[in-house]
């Protein structure tokens, strides 16, 4: 079993829909990161979470440490949100090594 | 803005060739990373460098070496390329070394080994 599991693997939505991507992990962590990868390869960091909730524009990320679960929400989705969203965790005891999920491919249709 | 650049977006090499992938960052970051990304596997850490001439193996270092002679430049070397090294290679850098620190990624190099 992978240490970081994301669901769904693929997600297709219509413009304007509310989107949720889930990340579950099986190890103790010190932080969780959400990343975005557009076609062509470049990866951008969206959020770093160690507890609670963060919001940036239409994106919201939450984490429940007890349940070992995080969600990334996109409100009022737009075709430009189409990308692969990657969850990565930093294990407790490691100060830099990230373990990555396999990613969720989001396609938002106009 | 942090900028991480990689020498090539696409590269095609033959089995047995020595391959150099170059990465340069312009923000004076101490730490630099090389990852490979394969379908169905996600990103995996190959090597990490925390200072000039300092390096540490990641999860999959076999078949690779690295060089960091200058702070801004981190090179990944495939001594003798093999077809199973066909992959997307991503470089990243970070200012500090901590679980909460952001890693800034380059655009990636898609390497094909024939």
């Amino acid at each position: 079993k992978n240490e970081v599991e994301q669901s769904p693997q693929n997600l297709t939505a219509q413009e304007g829909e509310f989107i949720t991507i889930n990340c579950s992990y099986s190890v103790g962590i010190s932080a969780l990161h959400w990343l975005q990868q557009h076609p062509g390869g470049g990866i951008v960091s969206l959020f770093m979470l160690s507890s609670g909730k963060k919001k940036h524009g239409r994106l919201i990320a939450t984490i429940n440490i007890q349940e070992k679960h995080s969600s990334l929400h996109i409100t009022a989705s737009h075709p430009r949100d189409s990308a692969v969203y990657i969850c990565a965790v930093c294990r407790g005891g490691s100060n830099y090594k990230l373990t990555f999920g396999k990613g969720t491919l989001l396609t938002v249709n106009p | 803005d942090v900028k991480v650049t990689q020498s090539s977006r696409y590269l095609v090499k033959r089995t047995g060739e020595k391959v150099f992938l170059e990465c340069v960052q312009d923000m004076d970051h101490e730490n630099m990373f090389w990852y490979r990304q394969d379908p169905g596997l996600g990103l995996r850490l190959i090597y990490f460098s925390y200072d000039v001439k300092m390096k540490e193996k990641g999860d999959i270092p076999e078949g690779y070496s690295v060089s960091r002679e200058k702070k801004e430049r981190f090179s990944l070397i495939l001594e003798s390329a093999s077809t199973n090294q066909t992959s997307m290679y991503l470089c990243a850098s970070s200012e500090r070394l901590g679980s909460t620190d952001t890693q800034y990624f380059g655009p990636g190099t898609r390497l094909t080994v024939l």
Side-chain angles (χ1 to χ4, degrees):
Chain A
K1 188 179 188 294
N2 294 325
E3 292 178 350
V4 181
E5 296 276 2
Q6 288 186 235
S7 63
Q9 285 187 325
N10 294 281
L11 181 55
T12 301
Q14 288 300 122
E15 184 172 356
E17 285 185 7
F18 181 84
I19 288 165
T20 296
I21 298 170
N22 297 298
C23 176
S24 296
Y25 52 92
S26 57
V27 295
I29 69 168
S30 53
L32 182 144
H33 297 254
W34 280 102
L35 308 164
Q36 180 191 56
Q37 184 174 30
H38 277 286
I43 293 176
V44 174
S45 180
L46 297 175
F47 293 104
M48 185 286 302
L49 295 161
S50 53
S51 65
K53 177 178 173 178
K54 286 190 176 179
K55 184 175 190 289
H56 182 70
R58 294 180 295 105
L59 273 60
I60 303 166
T62 64
I63 188 167
N64 185 318
I65 297 293
Q66 286 73 29
E67 293 187 4
K68 292 186 164 63
H69 182 268
S70 175
S71 293
L72 176 68
H73 305 286
I74 304 175
T75 61
S77 60
H78 190 276
R80 64 175 175 267
D81 297 325
S82 298
V84 174
Y85 292 85
I86 301 169
C87 170
V89 302
C90 194
R91 286 187 180 188
S94 167
N95 59 357
Y96 69 90
K97 274 192 181 177
L98 295 175
T99 300
F100 295 82
K102 295 177 183 179
T104 295
L105 174 61
L106 171 66
T107 303
V108 182
N109 294 317
Chain B
D1 273 354
V2 176
K3 194 165 183 186
V4 180
T5 57
Q6 295 182 228
S7 50
S8 306
R9 293 300 304 272
Y10 299 93
L11 206 52
V12 180
K13 296 291 182 181
R14 297 215 171 268
T15 301
E17 281 192 75
K18 190 169 185 176
V19 181
F20 292 86
L21 302 182
E22 305 283 337
C23 175
V24 177
Q25 49 93 6
D26 66 357
M27 283 302 290
D28 202 36
H29 284 177
E30 300 287 340
N31 311 293
M32 297 186 75
F33 308 80
W34 273 108
Y35 295 94
R36 65 177 281 176
Q37 184 180 31
D38 300 289
L41 292 177
L43 279 86
R44 293 177 290 167
L45 181 65
I46 304 171
Y47 265 100
F48 153 66
S49 169
Y50 52 92
D51 201 350
V52 174
K53 296 190 188 296
M54 306 304 287
K55 62 186 179 186
E56 192 170 305
K57 291 180 181 179
D59 298 319
I60 50 164
E62 298 77 19
Y64 303 95
S65 62
V66 290
S67 171
R68 191 153 180 217
E69 297 296 320
K70 293 185 177 182
K71 192 174 186 180
E72 68 271 17
R73 189 180 297 269
F74 190 34
S75 302
L76 180 69
I77 303 155
L78 287 65
E79 294 289 343
S80 178
S82 64
T83 54
N84 63 12
Q85 293 177 309
T86 292
S87 186
M88 169 72 95
Y89 290 88
L90 289 146
C91 174
S93 72
S94 70
E95 183 177 5
R96 290 177 297 271
L97 204 60
S99 60
T100 59
D101 285 294
T102 297
Q103 292 187 21
Y104 296 88
F105 286 83
T109 295
R110 190 167 293 281
L111 173 67
T112 302
V113 182
L114 302 175

